Amino acid sequence: MQIPFSPPYIDDSVINEVVDTLKSGWLTTGPKVKALEQEIRSYSGARQVLCVNSWTSGAIMMLRWLGLKDGDEVIVPAYTYCATALAVIHAGGRPVMVDSGEDFNISIEGIRRAITERTKAIIPVDLAGFPCDYDEIMKLVREPEINVRFHATSPVQHKLGRILILNDAAHSLGAIYNSYKRTGAETDVAIFSLHAVKNVTTAEGGAICLNLPEPFDNEALYTELRMMSLNCQTKDALAKSKAGGWRYDIVGLGMKINLPDVNAAIGLAELREYPKLLLKRKRTFLKYNRAFANFDWAILPPSEAKGKETSYHLYALRIKNITEEQRDEMIDIITLRRVYLNVHFIPMPMLTFFKEQGYDINDYPQAYKNFSQEISLPVYPQMTDEMVAYVIDSIVDAYYKVAKVPKISTASCKEKSAPKMEFLAP
Ligand SMILES: *Cc1c(COP(=O)(O)O)cnc(C)c1O
């Protein structure tokens, strides 16, 4: 059996929606993007949603809109995909990395210690789809002793009057916060990624959710940012295509990061089926939970706690008391059985570019621990019971091959077999 890590979900309804776009004569940003924005808006409860061509480009644009100046700081977790920090650098800021907690998410105490007069934004990441504690983060940036130190240096920063919270919700479309709210509605700005490996995809894409407080007008902001995503051109391609609509102006330094309709069609069809697909993910996730709960060496990933529920994007299993090398060895053994795995994530301070900037993994012990013990298992809607059982069996088998207790001789180690696994029965 071969089990890919995260194949895209493409059924007839997705294909038909794309074909419909191809036949419509309109390929780039137009009616399908509008429809996708409306769908994401009603699904997430965000006040406005603007689609762009990636999470990364959307984050760069939002940080440029915020008006970062040289040396301005943006707090990010050390444990995330590199895009979270790269967007800050592209927008002219400096990422300040903070260690994680045991739930993989950024440490709130770490955020508190990292805030300075130069802090302009915080980008928490809903790791694996499990939401961060946004009420606590909002409470923190509103504390009088924190807020007096906020030093606005752009019109947007003056208008906001505090540190901006931008949720990296790349993983967490459909996750639940505060028992009923969905992610996308809970922070000033939240950005979903619609990249090919995410729960809902447009091949490449991102959706910016806007929930700015008064005196911001989110609808006016949507119009402004839509223009900014199209070179700050006063007329988009659709408006220009109308008879006599050729004249336009360029009113600022924008970016060219709009999402084409061909891409939006994929996401539009997937989103219609998403509630059903999410339940399928959850089913697989819970099967893993039931299986690994039998082993005291397995640490189950966070899924439901304090009114929060994950989007079941990743199953981030951790193995107690193993080294990074042993984890790597486990993955090699499992790969031989043609089960494809991943590790989310290599902490940024371990990557060459960030090391060269002076970040040091020794400053982020929990991030390193989470990373060194982590294996992400496949958890997508197309997975059958048989596939799930095969993955579980491969993990258990690899664990007992790798985690040899030094005191046991090689001979007795070979004899040692995995406990009987009743959960494998149909
Ligand atoms: C995928 C991902 C991104 C980047 O998304 P793109 O749409 O590929 O730019 C950002 N942050 C996290 C945590 C991600 O997993």
Side-chain angles (χ1 to χ4, degrees), residues 122-233:
I122 301 171
I123 312 185
V125 182
D126 299 334
L127 241 297
F130 189 66
C132 299
D133 281 322
Y134 290 104
D135 287 348
E136 279 187 50
I137 296 172
M138 281 312 303
K139 212 164 79 198
L140 178 65
V141 298
R142 288 198 172 112
E143 277 179 20
E145 55 273 34
I146 297 273
N147 207 26
V148 291
R149 296 164 69 196
F150 180 71
H151 181 58
T153 52
S154 79
V156 170
Q157 292 166 23
H158 276 289
K159 206 163 159 182
L160 186 62
R162 60 163 168 79
I163 298 169
L164 178 94
I165 310 298
L166 190 163
N167 175 7
D168 178 344
H171 298 173
S172 63
L173 180 66
I176 291 174
Y177 186 72
N178 267 352
S179 306
Y180 66 93
K181 259 193 194 174
R182 287 229 174 85
T183 51
E186 79 297 20
T187 51
D188 300 324
V189 178
I191 309 181
F192 298 122
S193 171
L194 303 170
H195 177 267
V197 301
K198 305 293 159 63
N199 282 17
V200 170
T201 184
T202 55
E204 296 283 355
I208 305 172
C209 302
L210 302 169
N211 307 289
L212 273 298
E214 297 271 331
F216 288 96
D217 173 348
N218 289 288
E219 205 177 322
L221 185 57
Y222 168 89
T223 308
E224 180 189 337
L225 292 167
R226 162 57 73 223
M227 197 159 72
M228 196 173 171
S229 74
L230 280 155
N231 287 331
C232 281
Q233 182 171 308

Side-chain angles (χ1 to χ4, degrees), residues 54-56 80-81 83-84 125 168 170-171 193 195 198 205 345:
S54 74
W55 182 96
T56 306
T80 178
Y81 181 59
T84 318
V125 182
D168 178 344
H171 298 173
S193 171
H195 177 267
K198 305 293 159 63
F345 287 96

Side-chain angles (χ1 to χ4, degrees), residues 278-287 290 385:
L278 197 53
L279 281 176
K280 288 192 178 173
R281 284 179 175 272
K282 178 173 181 173
R283 211 173 141 255
T284 298
F285 196 103
L286 294 181
K287 268 193 238 159
R290 273 195 299 277
D385 288 354

Side-chain angles (χ1 to χ4, degrees), residues 168-330:
D168 178 344
H171 298 173
S172 63
L173 180 66
I176 291 174
Y177 186 72
N178 267 352
S179 306
Y180 66 93
K181 259 193 194 174
R182 287 229 174 85
T183 51
E186 79 297 20
T187 51
D188 300 324
V189 178
I191 309 181
F192 298 122
S193 171
L194 303 170
H195 177 267
V197 301
K198 305 293 159 63
N199 282 17
V200 170
T201 184
T202 55
E204 296 283 355
I208 305 172
C209 302
L210 302 169
N211 307 289
L212 273 298
E214 297 271 331
F216 288 96
D217 173 348
N218 289 288
E219 205 177 322
L221 185 57
Y222 168 89
T223 308
E224 180 189 337
L225 292 167
R226 162 57 73 223
M227 197 159 72
M228 196 173 171
S229 74
L230 280 155
N231 287 331
C232 281
Q233 182 171 308
T234 50
K235 262 182 206 166
D236 65 16
L238 197 59
K240 275 187 73 216
S241 72
K242 306 266 156 67
W246 60 272
R247 194 180 279 281
Y248 62 88
D249 196 8
I250 299 294
V251 294
L253 179 62
M255 296 169 74
K256 184 59 171 61
I257 59 168
N258 53 307
L259 183 71
D261 263 19
V262 200
N263 292 74
I266 304 171
L268 197 54
E270 285 194 356
L271 202 61
R272 279 189 213 118
E273 297 181 66
Y274 188 47
K276 186 186 80 194
L277 299 178
L278 197 53
L279 281 176
K280 288 192 178 173
R281 284 179 175 272
K282 178 173 181 173
R283 211 173 141 255
T284 298
F285 196 103
L286 294 181
K287 268 193 238 159
Y288 283 144
N289 268 358
R290 273 195 299 277
F292 294 116
N294 293 320
F295 300 102
D296 58 6
W297 46 262
I299 305 172
L300 310 188
S303 53
E304 284 185 68
K306 294 190 279 180
K308 303 192 284 189
E309 184 178 351
T310 178
S311 66
Y312 304 98
H313 176 55
L314 299 171
Y315 192 90
L317 179 71
R318 274 169 295 180
I319 314 290
K320 258 180 224 163
N321 305 324
I322 61 167
T323 63
E324 185 185 341
E325 292 70 29
Q326 286 174 312
R327 186 275 314 275
D328 292 355
E329 210 184 313
M330 272 183 76

